[in-house]
């Protein structure tokens, strides 16, 4: 507290990210990073951008990120005018809250979801209400339709949801977007690339028919670039323009030259993307089966993490016992989920170390 603070700062409750310990030899399964490196083309593109000409960095980057937008547009087969890019999807989400989610009626999101959402509401003075997940931790679209029809506010949730990992079928998102045509509907697809091997269940395919639908994604998870800080949104031009207006009132150059070059190369390397996401999906299924053998209840996950509880063991104690063995997972001390562990899917070797440690702890 300080008398120098603006009033809004007094009332903020900032988001607390998962820890990034400085220790070596940790099995780090706590913040949903990808265990595989990014495409080698990312390094090549960043090197090329630096080039032999060290002078390159004296110039501002492209304020619109047009090459990156083109790469994203190509990946999704949408017009580049539908794409907005930002310095992480958290930044894109922050602009979205300010640009699209503040209305007279309260913003709706699940009671169990990404804990950054209420933080943005606090920062921007947005009124919100939470909607309970059902007993199986699934989102029930009818609850949103009921509340939204009475008083149209905006809706946001991740799909797959975090930290549950549960996926809502696209048909349900379509029902929501068409049922509340006057409400902005934002789907935070941080994990959607792990949602299916054959086809990725992204709501981007619904955008052409739904002017109220905005989809956000990140390069932090499925493209192994959490350290580069790049995210984007896709929607019809009116929604994208709202985000651009906020961005250009905040920071004209949110993405630096290296991030723009690296992110564009990552989007272009389709083979690397499909290979690594396929490996994570396979490891997730194997890890789920092994946890179930040990007696864990594991929610069906479409993400790069699993959310699991053991009927005979307290989650906080399990988390502490794993930490003693240099394995860190995430435990949330929140109502309804405080008996769960959220475990990032690592390499098969990391998953093996986790399983061995849990077997020893449960014994
Ligand atoms: C990781 C995550 C993000 C943030 O991604 P960044 O691009 O790294 O900021 C957004 N939403 C959800 C649900 C996430 O889990």
């Amino acid at each position: 507290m300080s008398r120098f603070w603006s009033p809004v700062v007094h009332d903020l409750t900032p988001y607390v990210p998962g820890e990034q310990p400085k220790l070596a030899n940790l099995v780090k399964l706590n913040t949903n990073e990808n265990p595989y490196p990014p495409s080698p083309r990312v390094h090549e593109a960043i090197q090329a951008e630096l080039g032999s000409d060290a002078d390159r960095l004296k110039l501002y980057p492209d304020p619109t990120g047009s090459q990156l937008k083109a790469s994203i547009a190509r990946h999704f087969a949408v017009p580049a005018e539908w794409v907005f890019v930002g310095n992480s999807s958290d930044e894109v989400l922050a602009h979205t809250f300010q640009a699209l989610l503040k209305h007279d009626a309260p913003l709706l999101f699940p009671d169990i979801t990404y804990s950054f959402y209420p933080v943005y509401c606090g920062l921007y003075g947005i009124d919100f209400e939470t909607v309970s997940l059902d007993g199986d931790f699934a989102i029930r679209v009818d609850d949103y339709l009921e509340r939204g029809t009475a008083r149209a506010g905006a809706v946001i949730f991740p799909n797959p949801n975090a930290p549950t990992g549960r996926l809502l079928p696209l048909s349900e998102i379509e029902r929501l977007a068409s049922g509340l045509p006057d409400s902005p509907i934002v789907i935070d697809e941080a994990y959607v690339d792990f949602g299916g091997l054959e086809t990725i269940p992204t709501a981007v395919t619904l955008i052409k028919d739904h002017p109220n639908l905005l989809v956000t994604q990140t390069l932090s998870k499925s493209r192994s670039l959490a350290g580069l800080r790049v995210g984007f949104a896709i929607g019809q031009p009116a929604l994208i323009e709202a985000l651009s207006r906020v961005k250009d009132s905040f920071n004209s150059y949110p993405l630096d030259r290296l991030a723009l070059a690296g992110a564009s190369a990552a989007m272009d390397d389709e083979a690397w993307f499909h290979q690594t996401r396929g490996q994570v999906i396979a490891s997730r299924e194997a890890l789920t089966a092994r946890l179930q053998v040990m007696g864990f209840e594991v929610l069906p996950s479409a993400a790069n993490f699993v959310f699991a509880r053991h009927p005979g063991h307290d989650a906080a104690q399990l988390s502490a016992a794993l930490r003693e063995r240099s394995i860190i997972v995430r435990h949330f001390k929140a109502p309804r989920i405080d008996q769960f562990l959220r475990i990032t899917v690592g390499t098969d070797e990391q998953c093996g170390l986790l399983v061995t440690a849990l077997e020893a702890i449960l014994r």
Side-chain angles (χ1 to χ4, degrees), residues 88-90 93 114 117 158 162 188 190-191 218 220-221 229-231:
S88 80
S89 74
D90 283 339
L93 285 167
Y114 189 33
Y117 299 160
D188 174 355
Y191 301 105
T218 175
S220 296
K221 279 100 185 204
R229 313 306 297 130
V230 182

Side-chain angles (χ1 to χ4, degrees), residues 17-34:
E19 59 178 325
Q20 298 289 349
K22 300 276 184 293
L23 300 170
N25 299 323
L26 270 185
V27 179
K28 190 173 176 306
L29 304 176
N30 68 328
T31 50
N32 298 342
E33 288 135 329
N34 198 306

Side-chain angles (χ1 to χ4, degrees), residues 68-97:
L68 174 56
K69 282 183 183 169
S71 292
I72 293 167
R74 212 176 306 124
H75 175 76
F76 290 98
V78 299
E81 295 68 42
W82 289 17
V83 182
F84 176 84
V85 295
N87 184 357
S88 80
S89 74
D90 283 339
E91 184 186 89
V92 173
L93 285 167
H95 291 341
T96 301
F97 273 72

Side-chain angles (χ1 to χ4, degrees), residues 31 133 139 173 252 295 345:
T31 50
L133 299 180
I139 287 171
I173 292 178
S252 305
V345 177

Side-chain angles (χ1 to χ4, degrees), residues 78-149:
V78 299
E81 295 68 42
W82 289 17
V83 182
F84 176 84
V85 295
N87 184 357
S88 80
S89 74
D90 283 339
E91 184 186 89
V92 173
L93 285 167
H95 291 341
T96 301
F97 273 72
Q98 199 174 25
L100 297 169
L101 302 185
K102 185 171 184 171
H103 296 279
D104 292 339
L107 170 66
L108 303 177
F109 52 79
D111 60 339
I112 297 165
T113 196
Y114 189 33
S115 46
F116 225 133
Y117 299 160
V119 175
Y120 293 133
C121 288
L123 179 60
Y124 295 122
I126 299 170
D127 189 20
F128 70 93
E129 281 177 14
T130 60
V131 182
S132 295
L133 299 180
D134 73 11
D136 297 323
F137 297 94
I139 287 171
R140 250 189 329 229
V141 160
D142 283 330
D143 294 344
Y144 292 82
L145 291 175
E146 240 166 67
R147 295 226 212 162
T149 311

